[in-house]
Amino acid sequence: MPSSLSRSEITYWGAGPALLPTDVLEEAAKALLNYNGTGLGIAEHSHRSALATDIINQAKADLAACLDIPDDYEVLFMQGGGTGEFSAAVYNFVGAWVVRKYKEIFGDVQGDAADHPELLEKLKQAVENELKVDYLVTGGWSQKASAEAERLLGSKHVNVAADARKANNGKFGIIPDEGSWNLSKDAAFVYYCDNETVDGVEFPGFPKSLEPGPDGKGPIVVADMSSNILTRKIPVKNFSAIFFGAQKNLGMTGITVVVLKKSFLPPSLSQPPVALLRTLGLPVPPIIFQYETIAKNNSLYNTLSIFDVYVAGQVLKKMLRTYPNKVEGQQAVTEQKAELIYGAVEAFPEVYRVIPDKTARSRVNVCFRVTKGGNVDASEKAFLEQATAQGLTGLKGHRSLGGIRASNYNSVPLEGAEKLANFIRAFATS
């Protein structure tokens, strides 16, 4: 890539860390040196200060406004990334399952569980025979999430309710028909990754089989939305938890957001005592991954990066300024950009091949192969070199999949998508 290219000449398509709005970065640069005339940069202020609390509360309020998050949900800022949440979801929702099962078995019986050996034995048997966590495996990230659950709980307690590879010749690229899903009767939760960044697979909407019934009750659903959060309107009330790393559409690497139903927090529900978990042979969560602890401390149990929260907050404020209809406005632009890119690729079937099936292809991670001339490796190398020379960077596919991947995140402007679509067409006809 020519070293003389300026930021304005680059359209970055990397999968993450992703492009940030230039005006947000410019304001953040000023805040790093002197925040609001305090003489200190924002990264130098105490996370215990009133200033930090205000930044957190503003970001929470603006996220709730953008996504229409109901009042009976809490927003947590955590660390550890989406990968950390693979573990945190297991710890917290298995703990919640144990509490529910404990109440069912012990009822109004008072005192320590060890004082009632017959009831405790019933609880142990329930854990042994009934505890399940369900996973819909549709790509690399959901596969890693299910593997982490197996590592923590053992394979007996992990139910892969659907595996796309079994219905697609050993490869990801589809979402199995819901009629084939083998969901558990009373799972501690059902996990799915709404958008698989590596494989370019996205759920077209909330799964029908996971929707709550007329009474409002349904499966406990946990979703990873790390790469497509803030790209479309979502039915938040259908989820018990949504988590996402900030570094795709929200901000910078360093914070992870959890949108959690408050019914999983005190006073509605507390996590089981550590001694009980040990007695039951279940893993004890690190306190930093315990939602109850993070919520109680307004995300400040440990030293949170306030600068990262500030940047996320500025991105949210920009969205609210730009789109009066909030995330729906962004959704329209995201889909327009995706249509431009897919349209260009599909116009030349002899040159390009979209990797995932059309029924499951992602709007935000467009994955395709370049087959021009029959030599895929040489064609893709030429495609990437020529794209880079034109300022279209970050297009190389994930190392596990290869090919081309255009990550159509919110900060990529419509003009950038038009530029990429024009290049795709020009390369095909050159």
Side-chain angles (χ1 to χ4, degrees):
M1 181 176 64
S3 59
S4 60
L5 286 176
S6 66
R7 180 179 179 85
S8 63
E9 295 175 292
I10 294 291
T11 305
Y12 182 61
W13 298 93
L19 189 73
L20 280 162
T22 298
D23 55 348
V24 168
L25 284 178
E26 288 170 343
E27 286 302 310
K30 296 175 186 176
L32 269 176
L33 289 175
N34 187 344
Y35 181 68
N36 281 3
T38 60
L40 287 177
I42 193 168
E44 298 165 310
H45 279 278
S46 170
H47 64 297
R48 303 291 184 196
S49 65
L51 175 152
T53 299
D54 183 60
I55 289 171
I56 290 171
N57 290 341
Q58 276 291 312
K60 289 167 66 171
D62 288 341
L63 181 66
C66 283
L67 293 177
D68 291 323
I69 298 173
D71 291 340
D72 58 340
Y73 283 74
E74 181 61 80
V75 174
L76 310 176
F77 292 110
M78 299 180 66
Q79 294 166 34
T83 302
E85 290 306 315
F86 296 164
S87 307
V90 172
Y91 292 132
N92 287 275
F93 286 98
V94 166
W97 185 94
V98 168
V99 170
R100 292 195 302 275
K101 191 60 65 173
Y102 182 95
K103 290 178 178 178
E104 178 186 315
I105 293 171
F106 281 74
D108 296 327
V109 174
Q110 301 296 312
D112 191 273
D115 296 333
H116 307 279
E118 291 183 4
L119 297 178
L120 182 58
E121 183 58 30
K122 283 186 179 181
L123 182 59
K124 286 181 179 179
Q125 289 302 312
V127 170
E128 178 69 16
N129 300 319
E130 300 173 31
L131 174 61
K132 294 289 183 184
V133 289
D134 282 7
Y135 285 81
L136 307 177
V137 177
T138 55
W141 290 113
S142 48
Q143 190 278 322
K144 287 183 177 181
S146 66
E148 176 64 358
E150 284 196 25
R151 192 183 71 85
L152 293 174
L153 299 175
S155 59
K156 180 175 182 177
H157 297 298
V158 178
N159 172 43
V160 177
D163 188 333
R165 294 168 296 186
K166 292 182 179 179
N168 196 44
N169 299 315
K171 295 181 179 180
F172 294 123
I174 68 164
I175 295 172
D177 183 86
E178 291 189 37
S180 69
W181 296 1
N182 180 33
L183 297 167
S184 302
K185 180 182 178 183
D186 181 33
F189 64 85
V190 182
Y191 162 96
Y192 73 96
C193 182
D194 202 41
N195 183 79
E196 292 280 2
T197 319
V198 172
D199 303 278
V201 169
E202 184 179 26
F203 279 77
F206 189 85
K208 292 288 184 184
S209 57
L210 301 182
E211 288 181 349
D215 59 358
K217 296 181 180 179
I220 294 169
V221 181
V222 176
D224 178 354
M225 295 189 180
S226 288
S227 50
N228 68 343
I229 195 68
L230 294 167
T231 67
R232 66 180 178 189
K233 190 173 178 63
I234 54 176
V236 177
K237 289 192 76 68
N238 288 359
F239 299 92
S240 293
I242 300 166
F243 66 81
F244 44 96
Q247 68 273 13
K248 314 288 189 182
N249 291 306
L250 182 60
M252 300 170 62
T253 305
I255 55 169
T256 311
V257 183
V258 179
V259 179
L260 177 70
K261 206 168 199 175
K262 287 180 180 177
S263 58
F264 289 94
L265 295 170
S268 299
L269 185 70
S270 292
Q271 284 292 301
V274 168
L276 180 59
L277 289 174
R278 288 188 177 133
T279 299
L280 298 173
L282 293 172
V284 176
I287 199 164
I288 201 63
F289 279 165
Q290 195 168 51
Y291 296 153
E292 183 177 314
T293 300
I294 303 304
K296 181 180 177 182
N297 291 276
N298 194 28
S299 300
L300 290 171
Y301 180 77
N302 68 323
T303 307
L304 183 69
S305 174
I306 300 302
F307 177 67
D308 292 336
V309 179
Y310 165 80
V311 171
Q314 295 307 300
V315 171
L316 292 167
K317 288 184 184 302
K318 181 180 176 66
M319 175 176 280
L320 291 170
R321 289 194 306 269
T322 305
Y323 303 112
N325 55 347
K326 300 171 288 192
V327 75
E328 291 177 73
Q330 179 62 63
Q331 178 174 344
V333 175
T334 296
E335 291 171 359
Q336 185 180 0
K337 292 188 293 175
E339 287 171 8
L340 282 169
I341 300 166
Y342 279 116
V345 170
E346 290 185 316
F348 301 93
E350 72 284 2
V351 178
Y352 305 111
R353 176 177 60 83
V354 178
I355 296 174
D357 187 79
K358 192 168 186 176
T359 59
R361 66 188 188 184
S362 171
R363 301 162 304 123
V364 291
N365 299 108
V366 181
C367 297
F368 60 95
R369 304 305 302 258
V370 183
T371 59
K372 184 178 183 180
N375 188 330
V376 175
D377 289 341
S379 296
E380 290 177 347
K381 182 180 180 182
F383 181 96
L384 291 169
E385 288 177 349
Q386 291 179 36
T388 299
Q390 295 192 28
L392 298 163
T393 64
L395 286 165
K396 188 175 183 179
H398 190 271
R399 60 187 180 278
S400 66
L401 194 65
I404 309 300
R405 174 173 55 174
S407 294
N408 177 32
Y409 298 141
N410 290 353
S411 292
V412 175
L414 179 60
E415 295 76 18
E418 291 170 343
K419 184 178 179 181
L420 177 59
N422 288 338
F423 170 74
I424 289 170
R425 293 176 182 278
F427 182 86
T429 55
S430 62

